[in-house]
Amino acid sequence: MSWGTELWDQFDNLEKHTQWGIDFVEKYTKFVKERTEIELNYARQIRNLSKKYQPKKKEEDENKYTWCRAFHSTLNELNDYAGQHEVIAENMTSQIITELTRYAQELKTERKSHFHDGRKAQQQIEASWKQLESCKRKFERDCKEADRAQQYFEKLDADINVTKADVEKARQQAQMRHQMASDSKNEYSSYLQKFNQEQNEHYYTIIPNTFQKIQAMEEKRIERMGESLKTFAEVDRQILPIIGKCLDGITQAAESIEPKNDSSQVIESYKSGFEPPGDVEFEDYGQAMKRTVSETSLTNSRSDNKADRSGKGKSKTLWPFNKKSKLSLNAHVRNLIEGSNPEDFSHLPPEQRRKKLQAKIDDFNKDIQKEMDQRDALTKMKEVYIKNPQMGDPNSVDPRLAEIAQNIEKLQVEAQKFEGWLAEVEGRMPVKSDPPRRTSVLYETQNSTPPTTNNNNCAQDRESPDGSYTEEPSSEVPSKVQPETAESGDEFDDADEEMLPTIGTCKALYPFDGVNEGTISVTEGELLYVIEEDKGDGWTRVRRNEEEEGYVPTSYVEVFLDSNAKDS
């Protein structure tokens, strides 16, 4: 059905309808624009959410656990998911908003042109109609005038009193009026025929053609709207496979979680390498009742002093989970947060320290290999330049080679330093064997030392299961009273010195010949145990094994104190 034949008289309504269609296109364009803003805001919020929960540098250890890696993979997939919503906004902007905005402008121009032509045709037919009406009124007026002139002539001709001249004059006037009426009739008839032709052309040719163009324009607009709605759905449909892959990635990440592996990783992360403590030996305090009243006040006084020392020794005991150990743990956590851990990882238990040192050594070796590869490549380039000078100056490579050589040297020095620490840790780590027994010095003395040597008993130190050193109390074994002498006092001091615990390690930076009494000779790079810090005199007391110990210059060694020794 054609608008030109069916709606020939609905020019104004068609004008309103087409304007409403253009307004609808602009309304739909605004709707899509708001949809793109929603997509962009949603994508921005998703990205911010993913960024907010991304692991920080201090949380990098989380990657050891599969459930943490699964969550991080989910965040990455969510980031890609947000990217697809940005793609939706971009495609809708380029394929719908931009196109419809341009099309709306074209539609307005085309509509304006069509209705301008229709309005012009209407104005022309209206003007022709007015001209026809004018001719018709003139013809009517001339006819009436001719009738009046004819009646006047007939009246005068019938009156005998009127002269012939007046009658002739009236006759001529009547004839003139009839001629004018005849001319007006011819003009009216001619213009009427012309108007009918124009009107027929207007309603059957001009208006149908114009309305047909408007109808085609409207149908094209409707078709374009359908294409836009289809594009609206296709833009979403195009990203569905990628969103499906994102969701599949999240599902795969969830399925990759391995509880057994994560629980084993906890062991790897927190294993200290220490052996658990053994059984506690029975301490027979009943033998103290064998003392006699003949003991001297000196013996009693010394007994009191030893009791005081034993009490102090008890106060220094560092077992796992006691108050001081908890304080040390809090300090360790604070150091982790503040990033103030020592370079040699001495704050960690042996097993964890070994892993950290090995990881650092591996990193240094990778960097060294990378530098060596660059050096080899530059060396080959230099050889090519030497053989073909036109390709480049061989000397231009030397500064870079020198820089790489310095880098390799620095990295090797650092690697050797960490290898030394690693060798120290591996040399001091306990070997799995029968669990050690907790044995007090008193019990060992009572069962292995004759009563006559009880004045040599002293407080001995031993290593607790958490790696800290404790003092065990000791007391005299009741026996025959022996008067104390200066010699026995010296023996007590010597025994006390021999049982000093190790408080750290050191590495000899330079060779030292211990020729003087009380010193010990060391070789460069040798690892020793520290048993006494520098008291300000420039000497540090070290031990090589159970028999060899002595003093070395503090400036000749690099000291690594245990964390427990630092705390004490």
Side-chain angles (χ1 to χ4, degrees):
M1 299 178 69
S2 174
W3 286 9
T5 58
E6 303 293 335
L7 301 176
W8 60 270
D9 58 344
Q10 299 297 322
F11 186 88
D12 293 338
N13 287 331
L14 289 180
E15 189 175 16
K16 293 178 181 179
H17 178 78
T18 52
Q19 181 61 45
W20 176 72
I22 294 176
D23 293 341
F24 188 85
V25 171
E26 293 178 341
K27 179 180 179 181
Y28 180 73
T29 304
K30 185 178 179 181
F31 160 76
V32 177
K33 183 179 292 186
E34 292 183 3
R35 163 74 190 278
T36 59
E37 292 175 356
I38 291 173
E39 293 290 344
L40 289 175
N41 290 334
Y42 178 67
R44 189 181 303 111
Q45 291 176 359
I46 291 294
R47 285 192 183 279
N48 291 339
L49 180 65
S50 176
K51 182 179 180 181
K52 178 181 178 182
Y53 286 93
Q54 285 290 345
K56 306 298 186 296
K57 287 186 177 180
K58 61 183 179 180
E59 299 175 355
E60 289 179 353
D61 289 342
E62 291 184 357
N63 290 327
K64 296 184 296 187
Y65 301 104
T66 58
W67 50 273
C68 288
R69 291 198 297 268
F71 178 63
H72 299 161
S73 299
T74 300
L75 294 178
N76 295 332
E77 294 293 346
L78 202 60
N79 201 43
D80 296 339
Y81 178 84
Q84 295 309 307
H85 285 275
E86 292 175 346
V87 172
I88 290 177
E90 293 173 1
N91 291 341
M92 285 188 175
T93 300
S94 61
Q95 299 179 23
I96 299 179
I97 297 176
T98 304
E99 292 296 324
L100 284 184
T101 302
R102 180 180 56 81
Y103 178 67
Q105 295 299 325
E106 296 176 355
L107 199 61
K108 290 179 180 179
T109 303
E110 184 180 1
R111 174 183 174 278
K112 183 178 179 181
S113 175
H114 293 328
F115 279 97
H116 178 268
D117 294 341
R119 195 171 289 107
K120 184 178 179 180
Q122 274 193 333
Q123 290 174 354
Q124 288 178 353
I125 196 65
E126 288 174 359
S128 296
W129 171 258
K130 289 179 181 179
Q131 186 67 28
L132 177 63
E133 287 292 320
S134 176
C135 291
K136 179 181 177 181
R137 285 194 298 271
K138 182 181 178 184
F139 172 60
E140 182 182 8
R141 186 171 59 250
D142 289 343
C143 287
K144 289 180 179 180
E145 290 293 333
D147 288 341
R148 282 197 296 268
Q150 183 63 32
Q151 290 176 2
Y152 182 69
F153 165 70
E154 290 177 353
K155 181 179 179 182
L156 291 179
D157 187 39
D159 192 355
I160 60 174
N161 296 321
V162 178
T163 61
K164 282 187 176 182
D166 292 335
V167 172
E168 185 63 24
K169 184 177 180 180
R171 187 180 63 80
Q172 291 177 356
Q173 185 70 23
Q175 289 178 350
M176 183 186 68
R177 290 295 179 182
H178 280 292
Q179 185 62 39
M180 290 177 63
S182 178
D183 293 340
S184 296
K185 179 181 179 181
N186 293 334
E187 182 182 0
Y188 170 65
S189 176
S190 175
Y191 205 85
L192 178 61
Q193 185 178 3
K194 179 182 177 182
F195 173 77
N196 287 333
Q197 291 177 353
E198 290 180 356
Q199 180 175 256
N200 185 70
E201 184 180 4
H202 175 78
Y203 286 111
Y204 290 97
T205 304
I206 296 176
I207 288 297
N209 290 339
T210 302
F211 281 11
Q212 191 65 33
K213 293 178 182 178
I214 295 174
Q215 182 180 1
M217 178 194 72
E218 181 68 8
E219 290 176 354
K220 186 178 179 181
R221 179 193 69 82
I222 296 171
E223 182 181 359
R224 195 63 174 268
M225 278 296 304
E227 293 175 354
S228 299
L229 290 170
K230 184 178 179 181
T231 303
F232 186 85
E234 287 298 326
V235 167
D236 267 344
R237 184 176 288 110
Q238 288 172 359
I239 58 97
L240 288 180
I242 303 178
I243 289 182
K245 290 182 179 179
C246 295
L247 298 178
D248 291 342
I250 295 175
T251 303
Q252 292 174 2
E255 292 174 350
S256 67
I257 296 177
E258 300 177 0
K260 295 292 184 182
N261 185 37
D262 289 343
S263 61
S264 300
Q265 189 61 49
V266 175
I267 298 175
E268 293 295 324
S269 299
Y270 300 108
K271 182 180 178 181
S272 66
F274 293 120
E275 290 291 331
D279 297 336
V280 178
E281 293 286 348
F282 175 75
E283 300 181 12
D284 190 1
Y285 290 99
Q287 294 185 14
M289 299 175 61
K290 296 179 181 180
R291 291 184 177 178
T292 63
V293 294
S294 62
E295 290 179 332
T296 63
S297 60
L298 178 61
T299 304
N300 294 334
S301 174
R302 184 173 179 184
S303 176
D304 294 338
N305 291 336
K306 289 186 177 182
D308 293 340
R309 289 178 60 191
S310 66
K312 293 179 180 179
K314 289 181 179 178
S315 66
K316 292 181 180 178
T317 301
L318 295 177
W319 294 107
F321 315 117
N322 65 7
K323 183 176 181 181
K324 191 169 184 180
S325 179
K326 290 180 181 177
L327 293 175
S328 177
L329 179 60
N330 292 336
H332 168 61
V333 173
R334 185 166 58 253
N335 289 337
L336 286 175
I337 296 174
E338 297 174 356
S340 58
N341 295 327
E343 185 183 13
D344 61 349
F345 304 109
S346 58
H347 64 289
L348 297 175
E351 182 67 22
Q352 301 304 317
R353 184 184 181 193
R354 183 187 65 78
K355 292 179 181 178
K356 290 285 187 180
L357 292 173
Q358 186 62 54
K360 290 289 290 185
I361 292 172
D362 293 341
D363 291 341
F364 282 127
N365 290 335
K366 290 179 181 178
D367 293 339
I368 291 172
Q369 186 61 42
K370 188 183 298 182
E371 295 290 338
M372 292 177 69
D373 292 341
Q374 293 184 11
R375 181 189 64 186
D376 295 342
L378 290 175
T379 302
K380 292 180 180 179
M381 184 185 296
K382 183 176 181 180
E383 292 175 357
V384 172
Y385 288 169
I386 293 174
K387 294 179 181 179
N388 302 290
Q390 68 275 9
M391 297 183 66
D393 183 10
N395 296 327
S396 62
V397 185
D398 292 339
R400 180 57 181 160
L401 285 174
E403 181 183 353
I404 291 176
Q406 292 179 358
N407 293 341
I408 292 176
E409 185 178 357
K410 291 179 181 178
L411 291 171
Q412 288 175 343
V413 170
E414 289 294 321
Q416 290 175 1
K417 180 172 66 174
F418 278 87
E419 287 173 356
W421 288 332
L422 181 61
E424 168 199 339
V425 173
E426 291 178 343
R428 294 185 60 195
M429 285 183 63
V431 180
K432 289 188 176 181
S433 60
D434 294 336
R437 298 182 303 171
R438 291 181 177 175
T439 308
S440 72
V441 177
L442 172 62
Y443 185 73
E444 290 179 351
T445 304
Q446 291 174 346
N447 288 277
S448 61
T449 306
T452 57
T453 60
N454 57 6
N455 60 342
N456 287 334
N457 292 334
C458 61
Q460 297 185 9
D461 298 329
R462 65 182 178 85
E463 188 175 355
S464 67
D466 63 346
S468 60
Y469 291 89
T470 66
E471 287 186 0
E472 277 291 339
S474 65
S475 60
E476 294 183 353
V477 180
S479 64
K480 188 175 180 180
V481 177
Q482 296 286 342
E484 294 186 355
T485 61
E487 182 179 357
S488 64
D490 292 340
E491 289 177 358
F492 180 85
D493 294 337
D494 292 342
D496 207 12
E497 289 177 355
E498 288 176 0
M499 299 309 296
L500 286 176
T502 59
I503 60 174
T505 58
C506 67
K507 180 180 181 181
L509 302 176
Y510 313 101
F512 174 70
D513 299 327
V515 296
N516 295 328
E517 184 179 359
T519 62
I520 184 174
S521 60
V522 296
T523 59
E524 183 179 354
E526 184 178 2
L527 296 175
L528 302 166
Y529 295 103
V530 178
I531 59 177
E532 185 178 326
E533 287 187 83
D534 186 352
K535 302 299 184 181
D537 55 359
W539 293 89
T540 299
R541 191 174 182 181
V542 300
R543 177 185 298 154
R544 178 176 288 113
N545 49 46
E546 294 182 358
E547 288 81 16
E548 294 183 77
E549 64 178 47
Y551 290 92
V552 295
T554 304
S555 59
Y556 276 54
V557 294
E558 184 177 5
V559 178
F560 311 100
L561 293 178
D562 293 339
S563 58
N564 293 327
K566 293 179 182 178
D567 293 338
S568 61

